[in-house]
Amino acid sequence: MIMSVDRKTISFVAVLAALYAVLTLVLSPVSYGPLQFRFADILQPFVLKGKKFVLAIALGTFLANLNSPFGVLDFGLMPLVSLLAGFVAYRINKINCFNSYTPYVAMCVFAAIIACGVGWILNFSAHMPFVWGFFEVFITVAVINMLGIGFINKIVKILKNRGIVLEN
């Protein structure tokens, strides 16, 4: 399947990736480490709107993690984990098997996949028990993603009213 991409989409993907990275970097004291809270994760529900946004979030993760104290493990592995999580969440949302709860289920699965990746990195690099790292990251990412679903839906609606359609 060939996906046609216009300049507006490319621009929006670039801005989304940059915004994710900048929000993470500006709030870096709480964005990295064993106890982390990434406010930029509020943008992650964009993955539900299309495959191109999965790439934007993964690219933003790569850029943000260049500053990580965990080095190549973080900026090398986590963008791939983000791609996997994003595509899985996108597919769950597309299947729509949980009716109005589908976006929330999809983003909880997204959070669980991200938490597995971060939990492994924290276990390997900081010798934190995997379970502790997993649950700490899962809870913060899931909560921010739940808030993000409504936020992203409002942004998509505003953009649609201005003639910019983002969804597939």
Side-chain angles (χ1 to χ4, degrees), residues 58-99:
L59 179 58
T61 300
F62 170 76
L63 294 171
N65 288 357
L66 287 172
N67 193 48
S68 170
F70 299 109
V72 71
L73 273 179
D74 217 358
F75 69 77
L77 178 65
M78 287 313 297
L80 298 175
V81 172
S82 184
L83 276 174
L84 173 65
F87 281 121
V88 169
Y90 171 78
R91 289 302 305 155
I92 290 170
N93 195 54
K94 201 79 164 148
I95 293 169
N96 195 23
C97 52
F98 299 100
N99 300 322

Side-chain angles (χ1 to χ4, degrees), residues 16-22 24 38 55-65:
L16 181 58
L19 186 57
Y20 184 90
V22 167
T24 302
R38 284 196 178 182
L55 181 60
I57 294 299
L59 179 58
T61 300
F62 170 76
L63 294 171
N65 288 357

Side-chain angles (χ1 to χ4, degrees), residues 37-69:
F37 181 86
R38 284 196 178 182
F39 183 74
D41 289 351
I42 201 163
L43 300 172
Q44 289 174 335
F46 265 114
V47 302
L48 303 176
K49 303 301 180 186
K51 295 176 188 174
K52 53 196 164 234
F53 305 118
V54 172
L55 181 60
I57 294 299
L59 179 58
T61 300
F62 170 76
L63 294 171
N65 288 357
L66 287 172
N67 193 48
S68 170

Side-chain angles (χ1 to χ4, degrees), residues 92-141:
I92 290 170
N93 195 54
K94 201 79 164 148
I95 293 169
N96 195 23
C97 52
F98 299 100
N99 300 322
S100 62
Y101 297 106
T102 299
Y104 300 97
V105 172
M107 292 314 297
C108 279
V109 171
F110 181 100
I113 294 170
I114 295 297
C116 283
V118 175
W120 182 84
I121 289 171
L122 292 173
N123 178 261
F124 184 81
S125 299
H127 308 292
M128 176 187 277
F130 172 81
V131 173
W132 173 258
F134 172 86
F135 280 113
E136 187 277 325
V137 171
F138 175 75
I139 290 167
T140 60
V141 172

